[in-house]
Amino acid sequence: MSSFTGSIASLDTGNIEDILNNAGVALVNFYADWCRFSQMLQPIFEEASNIAREEFPDVTQVVFARVDCDQHSDIAQRYRISKYPTLKLFRNGMMMKREYRGQRSVTAIADFIRQQKVDPIKEIHSLEEVNIADRDRRNIIGYFDQKDSENYHTFEKVANILRDDCVFLAAFGDVSQTERFSGDNVIYKPMGETVPDMVYLGSLTNFDLTYAWAQDKCVPLVREITFENGEELTEEGIPFLILFHVKEDTESLEKFQHEVARQLISEKGSINFLHADCEKFRHPLLHIQKTPADCPVIAIDSFRHMYVYPEFRDIEIPGKLRQFVLDLHSGKLHREFHHGPDPTDSTPGQEEIGEVASNPPESSFQKLAPSETRYTLLRDRDEL
């Protein structure tokens, strides 16, 4: 294929669809020649691609590719590249949410690709194995007549994409027979011993539908933020609504999840709903004059400032949590910190916000964003 230099494909608008759509796994390096981090990565990326080519000689299995973002700014914009180098993972042409953020070494990149090629589905040989599934994880279980079927191939594609979010199990033939009263069947086992299973009722030959259902189950509305995924969440670029809670305090977390689902589902694309272990994240709490002893605490981090929700117990007041988020978007939270309550404001229970401080505390989670010691950052964000 003429697009390949050595084992790396150079992507442009003419070949990108074809190369990515035909690759089971593709790792794409979005770079700029003038960026020193891109220059440092280039020989490492090349060597890792040679190892991958030796281990996976079939180019439909694994492709290493690159995009010169200066020459192909349209492609860089399409994939929202905001820093160089960015290593994005694709499966059958679909961009994965998680990019490669690991060590920039030949071994680490080669290992990452090997992990991506491990089958995410564990075959079960007796239904007893379903009963002992780890209920601290989200499990999706497929019961199929046979492996070589369109239904199972859809299940495989979905499992590959959501491999970090759910555990996938599958049973075939006689083992799965009792669970296939109306044909092949897929169920979701949520976390927790007492929560009932949920059955997928759509068509298993329809990938988009199956994927949308599984994603809804595997990727929770309220996600946990950790030091490991902080960079990734920060880079999504939308403010955080965070519940800080003691790890063992699942009751507050359940209340928060319930109220977010009830009041804020329509805001899903404009704010990230997160929860954090208040022992691990003592520092952001200190930023807002709180300690783990004050938990549960709710706050917004807009990446410029942090704002505290007045009283955790008020989240069950209909619309109150929603109003807090809307006040961020309208600029009201920011104004009230500087100038006290809006003069036209007659909303009950909002008055105390303006008295907390004359200046809101600075963002704490911005520090988890991609670092200038690893990337050339392309633009400063402009948020409230």
Side-chain angles (χ1 to χ4, degrees):
M1 202 184 279
S2 60
S3 309
F4 282 83
T5 317
S7 356
I8 301 179
S10 294
L11 302 180
D12 56 41
T13 30
N15 67 13
I16 186 166
E17 307 284 336
D18 189 42
I19 291 175
L20 294 185
N21 290 349
N22 288 305
V25 168
L27 188 62
V28 182
N29 176 12
F30 291 85
Y31 71 97
D33 277 332
W34 50 264
C35 156
R36 70 189 175 99
F37 300 114
S38 296
Q39 292 160 13
M40 286 153 68
L41 177 63
Q42 192 189 332
I44 294 166
F45 192 70
E46 213 150 302
E47 203 177 322
S49 76
N50 291 333
I51 292 172
R53 176 56 54 83
E54 277 171 36
E55 292 181 24
F56 307 101
D58 181 352
V59 291
T60 62
Q61 280 200 52
V62 171
V63 164
F64 272 62
R66 61 182 165 212
V67 174
D68 180 334
C69 293
D70 282 340
Q71 285 191 0
H72 303 289
S73 56
D74 53 333
I75 297 177
Q77 276 169 359
R78 189 194 319 173
Y79 293 112
R80 299 189 173 180
I81 303 303
S82 60
K83 63 187 188 313
Y84 302 138
T86 292
L87 293 178
K88 287 201 176 284
L89 185 73
F90 292 79
R91 289 182 177 280
N92 306 107
M94 184 175 177
M95 186 179 80
M96 298 297 96
K97 200 169 172 106
R98 291 189 178 89
E99 59 190 55
Y100 178 77
R101 297 176 189 272
Q103 245 185 318
R104 290 184 192 150
S105 72
V106 176
T107 320
I109 293 173
D111 278 348
F112 174 72
I113 291 298
R114 282 184 204 108
Q115 285 161 19
Q116 299 309 313
K117 293 304 292 176
V118 171
D119 189 346
I121 302 168
K122 182 187 173 219
E123 186 173 341
I124 49 181
H125 300 284
S126 85
L127 293 185
E128 183 47 40
E129 290 179 59
V130 174
N131 300 330
I132 56 168
D134 181 356
R135 296 312 292 263
D136 288 335
R137 302 281 314 266
R138 298 175 173 82
N139 291 273
I140 290 195
I141 303 154
Y143 300 102
F144 300 94
D145 180 20
Q146 46 195 325
K147 222 177 198 177
D148 189 16
S149 62
E150 200 182 337
N151 285 354
Y152 183 65
H153 293 321
T154 301
F155 188 72
E156 267 185 318
K157 275 176 81 172
V158 169
N160 266 311
I161 294 166
L162 294 169
R163 63 198 298 144
D164 297 328
D165 303 294
C166 263
V167 174
F168 287 85
L169 306 167
F172 304 95
D174 293 344
V175 179
S176 65
Q177 195 167 4
T178 55
E179 294 292 331
R180 289 188 285 108
F181 27 82
S182 55
D184 290 351
N185 186 22
V186 170
I187 66 152
Y188 167 64
K189 272 190 178 307
M191 291 159 79
E193 296 296 337
T194 54
V195 194
D197 296 347
M198 297 166 92
V199 180
Y200 173 58
L201 299 170
S203 159
L204 273 166
T205 53
N206 183 327
F207 166 75
D208 291 338
L209 209 60
T210 313
Y211 172 64
W213 178 82
Q215 189 191 36
D216 180 58
K217 306 291 171 274
C218 294
V219 182
L221 187 60
V222 177
R223 295 177 285 176
E224 181 173 15
I225 185 166
T226 63
F227 289 112
E228 288 71 40
N229 68 5
E231 179 178 290
E232 175 191 318
L233 289 169
T234 307
E235 213 184 355
E236 288 180 17
I238 53 177
F240 292 169
L241 176 70
I242 309 176
L243 167 71
F244 295 92
H245 66 107
V246 178
K247 198 175 171 30
E248 295 71 30
D249 177 14
T250 51
E251 192 190 332
S252 296
L253 176 57
E254 279 165 22
K255 272 186 191 166
F256 183 65
Q257 288 166 327
H258 180 73
E259 292 306 325
V260 164
R262 200 169 69 138
Q263 300 184 40
L264 287 165
I265 199 92
S266 62
E267 295 302 308
K268 195 177 171 184
S270 63
I271 194 157
N272 264 327
F273 310 117
L274 305 170
H275 68 103
D277 179 334
C278 60
E279 283 296 338
K280 286 183 188 162
F281 285 92
R282 279 168 169 268
H283 185 70
L285 279 172
L286 280 173
H287 243 62
I288 50 176
Q289 287 94 45
K290 303 281 184 190
T291 71
D294 297 308
C295 288
V297 169
I298 294 172
I300 283 175
D301 191 320
S302 73
F303 299 140
R304 283 177 104 175
H305 297 294
M306 288 186 79
Y307 305 95
V308 190
Y309 183 73
E311 285 290 341
F312 176 78
R313 63 174 179 265
D314 289 351
I315 61 167
E316 293 179 73
I317 299 173
K320 182 106 178 179
L321 192 61
R322 178 176 168 76
Q323 193 57 51
F324 183 57
V325 170
L326 295 179
D327 286 350
L328 169 80
H329 293 323
S330 70
K332 183 177 169 189
L333 289 184
H334 194 74
R335 281 197 310 276
E336 291 195 337
F337 258 105
H338 286 295
H339 311 296
D342 281 0
T344 54
D345 180 22
S346 57
T347 318
Q350 292 285 315
E351 290 75 27
E352 69 271 28
I353 295 180
E355 294 158 21
V356 177
S358 57
N359 251 326
E362 286 188 2
S363 166
S364 188
F365 287 90
Q366 181 60 32
K367 297 178 181 68
L368 297 180
S371 157
E372 291 183 348
T373 61
R374 267 174 67 83
Y375 299 100
T376 301
L377 305 177
L378 293 188
R379 59 179 176 272
D380 289 320
R381 291 214 180 84
D382 183 28
E383 274 129 0
L384 292 170

